[in-house]
Amino acid sequence: MSEHDREKARAIGESHRRHDEKKLATILKSRQFQAIKGVRDILPPESALWNRVEQAAREVFGTFGFAEIRLPIFEQTELFARSIGLESDVVAKEMYEFEDHASKELAALRTLLLAEEPTIDDPQFFWSYEMKVTDFKERLKMGLDRGEIPKTPENERVCEALGPLLDSIAFARQEYEKTSGQSHAARLELYVKQVRNSLSEVRTQVTVTHLGDDITLRPEATASVVRAYIEHGMQNLPGNVKLYYMGPMFRRERPQKGRYRQFYQIGAEVLGSSDAPGIDAEVIEMLLAFFERLKLKGAVLHINSIGDKNCRPAYVERLRAELQKVREQLGADSQRRIETNPLRVLDSKLEHEQAIIEKLPRIADHLCAECRAHYDEVKRQLGLRGIAYQENWRLVRGLDYYMRTTFEITAPGLGSQNAVCGGGRYDGLVELLGGPATTKGIGFAIGTDRLVLSLQESGVGEVSGGPARSAGGLDVYLAWFGAAAQTAAVGLARRLRDAGFVVELPAVEMKFGKSLGLADRLKARHAVILGEDELAAGVVAVKRLADGTQQKLAEQDLFSYLRAARDF
Ligand code: AMP
């Protein structure tokens, strides 16, 4: 190789190295983490608005005698399946479910056993699969004995079944390995036949094992409130039990404005033996008082009654019959719902279905006398509270346990997802979840994300203060210069904060210009300057950043000066 060739090779090598480095850098860069689709961070200063909203809920709901319940984020899947209903979109498509197992190895083994396609016409090769099944069986037994795996009848049965299945596979191999008698081909054929049968049975058994609780991230909280009500025997408490909650909910929906996969709700429930219409009206009154406190503009209350188990089934059948007549004109979702849940067709937002829906029979014309009286009284009670409402016959909650009063509040600035709150009476739910049949319930859930969005859109969600500052903004930027001044500044910052002022204290010494520049950018109201001169004179210099006026004050005067500035 000539010197020239060597040089060329080096250059090519160098270029490859640079190329690889670049590629690696790109990969590393693309590995920056991002929030998962449909979930988001709520950053300052918006988080201050969230706190204000939540604080207002606590205060307003408190005055109506509601107390907070803090609920788990996940529950048994069955709780939601039973309460929300298998036919609902939430349960059928949107829940984040997982099996909460104690043994990762066992779960991995199960996945492997179900995924692997072992070559059964090679007994030697199949041996390793057999070993894995044995391992699975032993770990399963150990898990059951130690109480790490639920002792369900299915699990116990699997444990018992796997032993004989493994024995029959072992027996088939022994027969195959006998060199006397039949030909190799015949022995192999027999082996494959027996093992094929056993293998399919092994797979069935492995599939039905249940390695832990089926768990779901809560898609809503009413089911949890009712579960807690029953679990803690709250039916024995005097009067109605009034609870509110706030926190994240999880639904795997298609993300868009006002629709997230982790979203937040503020909700309240009243549980007790009475279904008096006055309760319905007061719950709605509380909701509107809350919105009023927040100065939410343009909220519209929609109400309806969907009857009860006496009158609704007949209406649903009628609706179904009418829908059958127009089936061909409906979209796929509505067609499916004719069978599963005809009431949900009324929810449809599809343009071409609107005219058809308008002609369908209306529940208001089919309420029984009791439901009609209840609905009339709810309206009267709303009236005596001076609450305006719109009746909306299409407002349904398509779940069996919902009955009578349903309501929804829409707010402006939200586009198509304009429902900021949904609620209704659910007298059958407590019984459905195993509680006393006499307990009635009514509640609502506000979509906090949408409420905040609507407040922001209408301009009442403004939060003062610069980026990443606390709600009221920064009162004092405490600029210090020199080690002695830092000691004094630390003490002064502490006293100011104790007095309730928001103080930013630079952690390191900065040049004067840079420090005051930062005070400006942080939108501080005042820069308090503490240098050697001020220290010697026992004063601080205070600069009002809005107009640059500056004065020297003793510490006690500083406090009254800042207080006065705050009150303006
Ligand atoms: P629901 O539990 O479906 O009755 O919903 C009650 C309220 O929660 C709705 O009126 C919305 O304001 C809000 N909400 C429901 N689903 C979402 C979501 N995926 N993203 C944001 N808010 C939601």
Side-chain angles (χ1 to χ4, degrees):
M1 205 185 224
S2 72
E3 187 53 34
H4 174 72
D5 286 344
R6 241 179 252 129
E7 189 53 39
K8 209 167 147 192
R10 253 201 305 273
I12 292 171
E14 178 66 10
S15 132
H16 281 182
R17 192 182 59 77
R18 272 202 301 268
H19 178 77
D20 287 350
E21 270 178 8
K22 238 169 145 180
K23 226 162 110 185
L24 189 65
T26 317
I27 292 169
L28 287 177
K29 209 163 152 204
S30 68
R31 274 191 53 194
Q32 266 188 1
F33 294 106
Q34 286 183 330
I36 288 164
K37 187 176 175 195
V39 314
R40 66 203 178 116
D41 304 302
I42 295 157
L43 305 174
E46 188 184 318
S47 51
L49 177 57
W50 281 73
N51 285 336
R52 202 172 84 199
V53 165
E54 288 170 358
Q55 186 54 24
R58 291 179 200 285
E59 286 169 16
V60 174
F61 296 176
T63 62
F64 281 78
F66 282 69
E68 183 175 7
I69 179 164
R70 296 196 178 206
L71 298 159
I73 298 285
F74 51 82
E75 299 262 8
Q76 281 181 24
T77 301
E78 177 65 16
L79 175 70
F80 301 117
R82 200 178 324 159
S83 62
I84 306 172
L86 294 169
E87 298 298 346
S88 65
D89 283 352
V90 170
V91 174
K93 304 191 262 198
E94 298 170 359
M95 295 205 306
Y96 286 95
E97 301 177 46
F98 59 98
E99 190 186 60
D100 184 25
H101 39 68
S103 168
K104 272 210 160 101
E105 289 101 339
L106 192 56
L109 205 49
R110 179 177 59 181
T111 310
L112 206 73
L113 290 177
L114 294 177
E116 201 174 317
E117 283 298 341
T119 323
I120 53 176
D121 48 11
D122 180 348
Q124 234 24 60
F125 200 83
F126 190 69
W127 172 244
S128 79
Y129 192 82
E130 248 178 282
M131 297 297 289
K132 283 181 208 139
V133 178
T134 309
D135 190 17
F136 181 82
K137 187 197 79 170
E138 275 160 15
R139 282 174 190 268
L140 181 66
K141 183 162 183 335
M142 205 160 62
L144 283 169
D145 290 346
R146 287 192 189 153
E148 288 169 0
I149 293 170
K151 278 201 167 73
T152 61
E154 289 87 3
N155 281 348
E156 309 243 7
R157 229 175 292 138
V158 173
C159 229
E160 276 165 30
L162 284 178
L165 281 168
L166 281 162
D167 288 348
S168 79
I169 293 172
F171 180 72
R173 192 160 16 82
Q174 277 164 20
E175 289 299 301
Y176 163 76
E177 281 165 357
K178 275 186 192 158
T179 43
S180 58
Q182 290 172 305
S183 70
H184 178 258
R187 279 183 285 124
L188 184 62
E189 193 184 335
L190 212 60
Y191 170 84
V192 168
K193 202 170 142 206
Q194 283 185 1
V195 169
R196 181 169 290 128
N197 289 342
S198 304
L199 179 62
S200 100
E201 185 52 24
V202 164
R203 284 237 168 87
T204 313
Q205 296 296 336
V206 172
T207 311
V208 300
T209 46
H210 203 69
L211 303 184
D213 286 336
D214 284 327
I215 282 189
T216 289
L217 298 188
R218 62 184 189 187
E220 56 109 55
T222 302
S224 302
V225 173
V226 171
R227 194 257 317 130
Y229 175 88
I230 299 166
E231 188 173 337
H232 302 288
M234 288 193 230
Q235 67 268 25
N236 299 321
L237 296 172
N240 285 323
V241 173
K242 302 183 193 177
L243 299 166
Y244 73 84
Y245 60 84
M246 47 185 74
M249 309 293 157
F250 305 85
R251 293 182 198 173
R252 202 175 187 291
E253 294 193 87
R254 197 169 51 78
Q256 62 185 93
K257 181 181 174 187
R259 197 199 266 166
Y260 310 99
R261 290 181 171 179
Q262 175 175 334
F263 62 100
Y264 295 78
Q265 286 187 337
I266 299 175
E269 318 286 350
V270 182
L271 293 151
S273 56
S274 168
D275 62 356
I279 299 175
D280 306 34
E282 195 180 74
V283 162
I284 293 172
E285 180 188 355
M286 176 170 94
L287 192 52
L288 294 171
F290 169 55
F291 287 157
E292 223 164 88
R293 171 76 67 94
L294 293 172
K295 301 195 173 66
L296 179 73
K297 294 190 196 106
V300 177
L301 168 67
H302 304 260
I303 61 165
N304 191 24
S305 172
I306 54 167
D308 64 5
K309 56 178 182 286
N310 296 321
C311 53
R312 193 163 36 154
Y315 167 72
V316 170
E317 275 323 303
R318 226 191 131 118
L319 185 63
R320 185 175 275 136
E322 290 304 312
L323 284 168
Q324 291 290 12
K325 292 183 196 161
V326 291
R327 168 182 279 274
E328 294 313 312
Q329 300 163 48
L330 298 170
D333 278 348
S334 292
Q335 288 199 8
R336 188 168 37 83
R337 285 174 178 149
I338 297 178
E339 272 79 43
T340 58
N341 201 342
L343 284 174
R344 285 290 314 282
V345 176
L346 306 181
D347 273 346
S348 164
K349 303 250 182 337
L350 281 185
E351 193 64 41
H352 84 274
E353 292 184 345
Q354 302 308 306
I356 306 166
I357 292 171
E358 278 307 304
K359 292 198 204 97
L360 292 171
R362 302 181 173 209
I363 183 111
D365 302 326
H366 297 84
L367 293 178
C368 61
E370 290 79 13
C371 286
R372 168 140 308 286
H374 191 275
Y375 188 38
D376 287 344
E377 183 58 13
V378 170
K379 289 188 278 185
R380 195 186 72 81
Q381 292 264 355
L382 288 174
L384 65 87
R385 289 170 168 82
I387 294 171
Y389 55 84
Q390 284 182 12
E391 286 183 78
N392 178 356
W393 73 276
R394 287 174 57 178
L395 187 64
V396 292
R397 310 240 114 200
L399 312 177
D400 280 350
Y401 62 78
Y402 271 109
M403 55 178 286
R404 295 189 172 163
T405 316
T406 58
F407 56 95
E408 187 172 277
I409 293 182
T410 54
L414 296 174
S416 62
Q417 305 300 319
N418 68 347
V420 73
C421 169
R425 182 163 274 292
Y426 48 82
D427 294 348
L429 183 57
V430 176
E431 188 184 9
L432 188 76
L433 295 181
T438 46
T439 303
K440 316 281 201 297
I442 181 166
F444 62 76
I446 300 163
T448 319
D449 305 77
R450 293 189 196 171
L451 174 58
V452 166
L453 208 58
S454 185
L455 290 171
Q456 287 169 327
E457 294 279 328
S458 64
V460 285
E462 290 301 318
V463 182
S464 58
R469 288 293 120 209
S470 57
L474 189 54
D475 292 307
V476 170
Y477 178 90
L478 214 176
W480 53 270
F481 304 97
Q486 184 183 21
T487 309
V490 167
L492 178 58
R494 176 62 187 271
R495 290 188 291 282
L496 284 165
R497 285 169 178 154
D498 284 349
F501 295 107
V502 183
V503 178
E504 178 74 15
L505 179 72
V508 292
E509 186 168 359
M510 282 188 271
K511 292 223 160 57
F512 188 83
K514 205 170 160 205
S515 201
L516 281 243
L518 182 58
D520 251 340
R521 279 187 287 130
L522 291 176
K523 295 195 169 65
R525 285 194 201 93
H526 302 93
V528 169
I529 299 154
L530 201 52
E532 275 161 21
D533 293 350
E534 286 80 13
L535 214 54
V539 293
V540 292
V542 191
K543 184 172 177 181
R544 193 160 63 198
L545 292 175
D547 57 12
T549 52
Q550 191 165 327
Q551 55 188 310
K552 295 210 164 174
L553 294 173
E555 184 169 322
Q556 68 269 29
D557 297 330
L558 173 70
F559 279 72
S560 42
Y561 169 82
L562 291 174
R563 241 177 238 119
R566 239 192 181 183
D567 293 341
F568 273 108

